[in-house]
Coordinates of all heavy atoms in Angstrom, one line a residue:
S1 N -46.1 166.2 -168.8 CA -46.4 166.9 -167.5 C -45.1 167.4 -166.8 O -45.1 168.2 -165.9 CB -47.1 165.9 -166.5 OG -46.2 164.8 -166.2
N2 N -44.0 166.9 -167.3 CA -42.7 167.4 -166.8 C -42.1 168.3 -167.8 O -41.3 167.9 -168.7 CB -41.8 166.2 -166.5 CG -40.5 166.6 -165.8 OD1 -40.1 167.8 -165.8 ND2 -39.8 165.6 -165.3
S3 N -42.3 169.6 -167.7 CA -41.9 170.6 -168.7 C -40.4 170.8 -168.7 O -39.9 171.4 -169.6 CB -42.6 171.9 -168.4 OG -42.2 172.4 -167.1
K4 N -39.7 170.3 -167.7 CA -38.2 170.4 -167.6 C -37.5 169.4 -168.5 O -36.3 169.6 -168.8 CB -37.7 170.3 -166.2 CG -38.3 171.3 -165.2 CD -37.6 172.7 -165.4 CE -38.1 173.6 -164.3 NZ -37.4 174.9 -164.4
Y5 N -38.2 168.4 -168.9 CA -37.5 167.3 -169.6 C -37.5 167.6 -171.1 O -38.5 168.0 -171.7 CB -38.2 165.9 -169.4 CG -37.6 164.8 -170.2 CD1 -36.3 164.3 -169.8 CD2 -38.2 164.3 -171.3 CE1 -35.8 163.3 -170.6 CE2 -37.6 163.3 -172.0 CZ -36.4 162.8 -171.7 OH -35.8 161.8 -172.4
K6 N -36.3 167.4 -171.8 CA -36.2 167.6 -173.2 C -35.6 166.4 -173.8 O -34.8 165.7 -173.2 CB -35.2 168.8 -173.5 CG -35.6 170.1 -172.8 CD -34.7 171.2 -173.3 CE -33.2 171.0 -173.2 NZ -32.7 171.0 -171.8
S7 N -36.0 166.1 -175.1 CA -35.4 165.0 -175.8 C -33.9 165.2 -175.9 O -33.4 166.3 -176.1 CB -36.0 165.0 -177.2 OG -35.5 163.9 -177.9
G8 N -33.2 164.1 -175.6 CA -31.7 164.2 -175.6 C -31.1 164.3 -174.2 O -30.0 164.0 -174.0
D9 N -32.0 164.7 -173.3 CA -31.5 164.7 -171.9 C -31.5 163.3 -171.3 O -32.2 162.4 -171.9 CB -32.4 165.6 -171.0 CG -32.1 167.1 -171.2 OD1 -31.1 167.4 -172.0 OD2 -32.8 167.9 -170.6
L10 N -30.9 163.1 -170.2 CA -31.0 161.9 -169.4 C -31.7 162.2 -168.1 O -31.3 163.2 -167.4 CB -29.6 161.4 -169.1 CG -28.7 161.0 -170.4 CD1 -27.3 160.9 -170.0 CD2 -29.3 159.8 -171.0
M11 N -32.7 161.4 -167.8 CA -33.5 161.7 -166.6 C -33.7 160.5 -165.8 O -34.0 159.4 -166.4 CB -34.8 162.4 -166.9 CG -35.6 162.8 -165.8 SD -37.0 163.9 -166.2 CE -38.1 162.8 -167.1
V12 N -33.6 160.5 -164.5 CA -33.9 159.4 -163.6 C -35.0 159.8 -162.7 O -35.0 160.8 -162.0 CB -32.6 159.0 -162.8 CG1 -32.9 157.8 -161.9 CG2 -31.5 158.6 -163.7
Q13 N -36.0 158.9 -162.6 CA -37.2 159.1 -161.7 C -37.3 157.9 -160.8 O -36.8 156.8 -161.1 CB -38.5 159.3 -162.5 CG -38.5 160.5 -163.4 CD -39.8 160.6 -164.2 OE1 -40.5 159.6 -164.5 NE2 -40.2 161.8 -164.6
D14 N -38.0 158.1 -159.7 CA -38.2 156.9 -158.8 C -39.4 156.2 -159.4 O -40.0 156.5 -160.5 CB -38.5 157.4 -157.4 CG -39.7 158.3 -157.2 OD1 -40.6 158.3 -158.1 OD2 -39.8 158.9 -156.2
G15 N -39.8 155.1 -158.7 CA -40.9 154.2 -159.2 C -42.2 154.9 -159.4 O -43.0 154.5 -160.2
A16 N -42.4 156.0 -158.6 CA -43.7 156.7 -158.7 C -43.7 157.8 -159.7 O -44.7 158.5 -160.0 CB -44.0 157.3 -157.3
G17 N -42.5 158.0 -160.4 CA -42.4 159.0 -161.5 C -41.9 160.4 -161.0 O -41.9 161.3 -161.7
K18 N -41.4 160.5 -159.7 CA -40.8 161.7 -159.2 C -39.4 161.8 -159.7 O -38.6 160.9 -159.5 CB -40.9 161.8 -157.7 CG -40.3 163.0 -157.1 CD -40.4 163.0 -155.6 CE -39.7 164.3 -155.0 NZ -39.8 164.3 -153.5
T19 N -39.0 163.0 -160.3 CA -37.6 163.1 -160.8 C -36.6 163.2 -159.7 O -36.8 164.0 -158.8 CB -37.5 164.4 -161.7 OG1 -38.4 164.2 -162.8 CG2 -36.1 164.6 -162.2
I20 N -35.6 162.4 -159.8 CA -34.5 162.4 -158.8 C -33.4 163.4 -159.3 O -33.0 164.2 -158.6 CB -33.9 161.0 -158.6 CG1 -34.9 160.0 -158.1 CG2 -32.7 161.0 -157.7 CD1 -34.5 158.6 -158.1
F21 N -33.0 163.2 -160.6 CA -32.2 164.2 -161.2 C -32.1 164.0 -162.7 O -32.6 162.9 -163.2 CB -30.7 164.2 -160.6 CG -30.0 162.9 -160.8 CD1 -29.3 162.6 -161.9 CD2 -29.9 162.1 -159.7 CE1 -28.6 161.4 -162.0 CE2 -29.2 160.9 -159.8 CZ -28.5 160.6 -161.0
K22 N -31.6 165.0 -163.4 CA -31.5 164.9 -164.9 C -30.3 165.6 -165.3 O -29.7 166.4 -164.5 CB -32.8 165.5 -165.5 CG -33.0 166.9 -165.1 CD -34.3 167.4 -165.8 CE -34.7 168.8 -165.4 NZ -35.0 169.1 -164.1
A23 N -29.8 165.4 -166.5 CA -28.6 166.0 -167.0 C -28.7 166.1 -168.5 O -29.3 165.3 -169.2 CB -27.4 165.2 -166.6
T24 N -28.0 167.1 -169.1 CA -27.8 167.2 -170.5 C -26.4 166.8 -170.9 O -25.5 167.5 -170.5 CB -28.1 168.6 -171.0 OG1 -29.4 169.0 -170.7 CG2 -27.9 168.7 -172.5
P25 N -26.2 165.6 -171.5 CA -24.8 165.2 -171.7 C -24.1 166.1 -172.7 O -24.6 166.6 -173.6 CB -25.0 163.8 -172.4 CG -26.4 163.4 -172.0 CD -27.2 164.6 -171.9
M26 N -22.8 166.3 -172.4 CA -21.9 167.0 -173.3 C -20.7 166.2 -173.6 O -20.6 165.0 -173.1 CB -21.5 168.4 -172.6 CG -22.6 169.3 -172.3 SD -22.2 170.8 -171.4 CE -21.9 170.1 -169.8
A27 N -19.7 166.7 -174.3 CA -18.6 165.9 -174.7 C -17.7 165.5 -173.5 O -17.3 164.3 -173.5 CB -17.7 166.7 -175.7
D28 N -17.5 166.4 -172.6 CA -16.5 166.1 -171.5 C -17.0 166.2 -170.1 O -16.3 166.0 -169.2 CB -15.3 167.0 -171.7 CG -14.5 166.7 -173.0 OD1 -14.3 165.5 -173.3 OD2 -14.2 167.7 -173.7
A29 N -18.3 166.6 -170.0 CA -18.8 166.8 -168.6 C -20.3 166.9 -168.7 O -20.9 167.1 -169.7 CB -18.2 168.1 -168.0
F30 N -20.9 166.9 -167.5 CA -22.3 167.2 -167.4 C -22.6 167.6 -165.9 O -21.9 167.1 -165.0 CB -23.2 166.1 -167.8 CG -23.1 164.8 -167.0 CD1 -23.8 164.6 -165.8 CD2 -22.4 163.7 -167.5 CE1 -23.7 163.5 -165.1 CE2 -22.3 162.5 -166.8 CZ -23.0 162.4 -165.6
T31 N -23.6 168.4 -165.7 CA -24.1 168.8 -164.4 C -25.5 168.1 -164.2 O -26.4 168.3 -165.0 CB -24.2 170.3 -164.3 OG1 -22.9 170.9 -164.4 CG2 -24.7 170.7 -162.9
A32 N -25.6 167.4 -163.1 CA -26.9 166.8 -162.8 C -27.7 167.7 -161.9 O -27.1 168.3 -160.9 CB -26.7 165.5 -162.1
E33 N -29.0 167.9 -162.2 CA -29.8 168.8 -161.4 C -31.1 168.1 -161.1 O -31.5 167.2 -161.7 CB -30.2 170.1 -162.2 CG -29.0 170.9 -162.7 CD -29.3 172.1 -163.5 OE1 -30.5 172.1 -164.1 OE2 -28.5 173.0 -163.6
D34 N -31.8 168.6 -160.0 CA -33.1 168.0 -159.7 C -34.1 168.7 -160.5 O -33.8 169.5 -161.4 CB -33.4 168.1 -158.2 CG -33.5 169.6 -157.7 OD1 -33.7 170.5 -158.5 OD2 -33.4 169.8 -156.5
N35 N -35.4 168.3 -160.3 CA -36.4 168.8 -161.2 C -36.7 170.3 -161.0 O -37.3 170.9 -161.9 CB -37.7 168.1 -160.9 CG -38.7 168.1 -162.1 OD1 -38.3 168.1 -163.2 ND2 -40.0 168.2 -161.8
S36 N -36.1 170.9 -160.0 CA -36.3 172.4 -159.8 C -35.1 173.2 -160.3 O -35.0 174.4 -160.1 CB -36.5 172.7 -158.3 OG -37.7 172.1 -157.8
G37 N -34.1 172.4 -160.8 CA -32.9 173.1 -161.3 C -31.8 173.2 -160.3 O -30.8 173.9 -160.6
N38 N -32.0 172.6 -159.1 CA -30.9 172.7 -158.1 C -29.8 171.7 -158.4 O -30.1 170.6 -158.8 CB -31.6 172.4 -156.7 CG -32.6 173.4 -156.3 OD1 -32.5 174.6 -156.4 ND2 -33.8 172.8 -155.9
F39 N -28.6 172.2 -158.1 CA -27.4 171.3 -158.4 C -27.4 170.1 -157.6 O -27.8 170.1 -156.4 CB -26.2 172.2 -158.1 CG -24.9 171.4 -158.2 CD1 -24.2 171.2 -159.4 CD2 -24.3 170.8 -157.0 CE1 -23.0 170.5 -159.5 CE2 -23.2 170.1 -157.1 CZ -22.5 169.9 -158.4
V40 N -27.1 168.9 -158.2 CA -27.0 167.6 -157.5 C -25.6 167.2 -157.5 O -25.0 166.9 -156.4 CB -27.9 166.6 -158.1 CG1 -27.8 165.2 -157.4 CG2 -29.4 167.0 -158.1
F41 N -25.0 167.0 -158.6 CA -23.5 166.6 -158.7 C -23.0 167.0 -160.1 O -23.8 167.2 -161.0 CB -23.2 165.2 -158.3 CG -23.8 164.1 -159.2 CD1 -23.1 163.7 -160.3 CD2 -25.1 163.6 -159.0 CE1 -23.6 162.7 -161.1 CE2 -25.6 162.6 -159.8 CZ -24.8 162.2 -160.9
F42 N -21.7 167.0 -160.2 CA -21.0 167.3 -161.4 C -20.0 166.2 -161.8 O -19.4 165.6 -160.9 CB -20.2 168.7 -161.2 CG -19.4 169.1 -162.4 CD1 -20.0 169.8 -163.5 CD2 -18.1 168.8 -162.5 CE1 -19.3 170.2 -164.6 CE2 -17.3 169.2 -163.6 CZ -18.0 169.9 -164.7
V43 N -20.0 165.9 -163.1 CA -19.0 164.8 -163.5 C -18.2 165.4 -164.7 O -18.8 166.1 -165.6 CB -19.8 163.6 -164.0 CG1 -18.8 162.5 -164.6 CG2 -20.6 163.0 -162.9
E44 N -16.9 165.2 -164.7 CA -16.1 165.6 -165.8 C -15.1 164.5 -166.2 O -14.7 163.7 -165.4 CB -15.3 166.9 -165.4 CG -14.3 166.7 -164.3 CD -13.6 168.0 -164.0 OE1 -13.2 168.7 -165.0 OE2 -13.3 168.3 -162.8
R45 N -14.8 164.5 -167.5 CA -13.8 163.6 -168.0 C -12.5 164.1 -167.8 O -12.2 165.3 -168.0 CB -14.1 163.4 -169.5 CG -13.3 162.3 -170.2 CD -13.3 162.4 -171.7 NE -14.6 162.5 -172.2 CZ -15.3 161.6 -172.9 NH1 -14.7 160.4 -173.1 NH2 -16.5 161.8 -173.4
V46 N -11.5 163.3 -167.3 CA -10.2 163.7 -167.1 C -9.2 162.8 -167.7 O -9.5 161.7 -168.1 CB -9.9 163.8 -165.6 CG1 -10.8 164.9 -164.9 CG2 -10.1 162.5 -164.9
M47 N -7.9 163.2 -167.8 CA -6.9 162.3 -168.3 C -6.3 161.4 -167.2 O -6.3 161.8 -166.0 CB -5.8 163.1 -168.9 CG -6.2 164.0 -170.1 SD -6.8 163.0 -171.5 CE -5.3 162.1 -172.0

């Protein structure tokens, strides 16, 4: 029922099943988005 979710992604939902945010992991960074594709936060690996 959640067409935005793909195998390999990371997704966090609340207890009722509403998506809080999701991300597609990469080697050095990822962007977390809500279920509508809106930006939530960005994480990057640094030295």
Side-chain angles (χ1 to χ4, degrees):
S1 68
N2 186 345
S3 60
K4 299 280 188 178
Y5 178 73
K6 307 189 303 290
S7 178
D9 281 357
L10 299 166
M11 184 170 70
V12 179
Q13 296 180 334
D14 63 18
K18 180 181 178 181
T19 298
I20 300 172
F21 61 83
K22 57 184 181 290
T24 300
M26 297 176 286
D28 296 313
F30 63 83
T31 299
E33 301 177 341
D34 65 20
N35 202 36
S36 298
N38 299 312
F39 175 85
V40 178
F41 66 90
F42 178 82
V43 177
E44 64 179 320
R45 190 195 308 254
V46 296
M47 296 300 292

